[in-house]
Amino acid sequence: VSTPSSGVKQTLLPTRLPKETAQEAMLLLGSVLVNGPTQTVASEHKETVSTGGNAANVAVGTSRLGLNSAIVTEVGDDTAGEHVFANLKDSGVDTTLVHLIKKQKTRMSVILLYKKERTILSFHDKQKYNLPPIPKTRAIYYTSLGVSFKKIQTKLITEIKKQPNILLAVNPGSYQMRQGLLEFKKILPYTKILFVNLEEAKKLIGKNLPIKKLFVLLHKQGPQTIVITNTKNGSYASFN
């Protein structure tokens, strides 16, 4: 267990892995959005616009590490959607599987920052997620989706059963945890790596338990590796 104040020496990863180290494509599955245009930091006012969403963030991060990353998502045919396309392409992410939805608006959010806390105000247009045929990939990162996530998750489980060698990493979004918890939990038996925060871990178990006990009970649901984040107190990992 390592926390920011633990004094454990950290080794920084290179910004780009050697070419010969690059793996088969990592497929990212989740919603993307545009962050902005307003952020409030303490009493100061700053305006920035950026591409966000867990899937987009991880897609860009893995691309910068030298992995061939592709993202499965949907955007609207608006200025925000154009921004997302351009930003992902410029970051080296394969956008072949990004679906452009006509007469629909791209998700947007405004992030309010105050000291160490943040509040996200989000706009979600209706989306009908579709899972295309999965290309050859070594890993899939499945994260935040909205109302229609149940259909695409069912298809994802079917694909993982067909290709059990694919490493499935899961990091649920707020809707999946709030409105579709029972349905979301069906993916856990097929999950190799699970990322959740402390409150989400407690919600998945249904009890307010110490972290060590949460790990034990979460492992029983399927995930082999579990990471639990706990805001400024750091993160915890368990390997089964």
Side-chain angles (χ1 to χ4, degrees):
V1 176
S2 174
T3 67
S5 60
S6 66
V8 175
K9 183 179 179 180
Q10 297 181 346
T11 301
L12 298 179
L13 289 171
T15 56
R16 193 120 187 130
L17 295 176
K19 187 175 182 179
E20 62 271 16
T21 310
Q23 304 294 322
E24 294 287 350
M26 173 177 282
L27 192 65
L28 293 299
L29 175 59
S31 297
V32 297
L33 53 84
V34 170
N35 292 323
T38 303
Q39 293 187 354
T40 302
V41 184
S43 60
E44 298 179 2
H45 180 78
K46 296 182 179 180
E47 293 192 358
T48 59
V49 176
S50 62
T51 298
N54 203 320
N57 293 339
V58 176
V60 171
T62 52
S63 176
R64 289 177 178 175
L65 285 171
L67 298 172
N68 299 316
S69 64
I71 187 168
V72 178
T73 192
E74 295 181 353
V75 296
D77 61 343
D78 53 7
T79 302
E82 293 176 0
H83 173 88
V84 169
F85 260 113
N87 192 261
L88 291 173
K89 285 185 177 180
D90 289 345
S91 299
V93 177
D94 187 334
T95 57
T96 306
L97 300 176
V98 176
H99 190 198
L100 177 67
I101 308 298
K102 294 184 177 181
K103 297 182 180 180
Q104 181 171 293
K105 295 180 179 180
T106 302
R107 288 182 56 203
M108 294 194 70
S109 71
V110 175
I111 304 176
L112 306 178
L113 302 175
Y114 180 72
K115 295 182 179 180
K116 294 183 179 180
E117 299 298 325
R118 71 173 185 171
T119 300
I120 301 178
L121 308 177
S122 298
F123 164 77
H124 298 258
D125 206 352
K126 292 183 179 179
Q127 292 180 314
K128 296 180 180 179
Y129 303 107
N130 291 297
L131 183 65
I134 294 179
K136 183 179 179 181
T137 182
R138 185 172 182 178
I140 294 177
Y141 182 81
Y142 169 52
T143 184
S144 177
L145 289 174
V147 179
S148 304
F149 86 90
K150 298 177 183 179
K151 181 176 71 171
I152 199 168
Q153 180 176 287
T154 299
K155 290 184 178 179
L156 177 59
I157 290 173
T158 300
E159 289 296 329
I160 294 298
K161 287 180 178 179
K162 293 179 181 178
Q163 304 182 60
N165 290 331
I166 292 178
L167 186 153
L168 177 62
V170 176
N171 188 345
S174 58
Y175 182 87
Q176 289 148 310
M177 293 299 301
R178 185 176 64 251
Q179 302 292 340
L181 185 60
L182 292 178
E183 189 70 25
F184 168 75
K185 290 172 74 173
K186 293 179 181 179
I187 197 76
L188 295 181
Y190 309 95
T191 301
K192 296 293 197 316
I193 307 174
L194 176 66
F195 299 91
V196 288
N197 62 38
L198 183 57
E199 293 306 312
E200 290 169 341
K202 292 177 180 178
K203 186 172 290 188
L204 284 172
I205 297 304
K207 296 179 181 179
N208 185 6
L209 297 172
I211 288 179
K212 287 185 178 181
K213 290 187 178 181
L214 290 174
F215 276 133
V216 171
L217 295 178
L218 284 172
H219 277 306
K220 289 182 178 181
Q221 295 191 32
Q224 298 175 13
T225 299
I226 303 169
V227 177
I228 298 178
T229 61
N230 189 18
T231 63
K232 63 182 181 181
N233 296 315
S235 301
Y236 308 84
S238 177
F239 312 90
N240 191 1

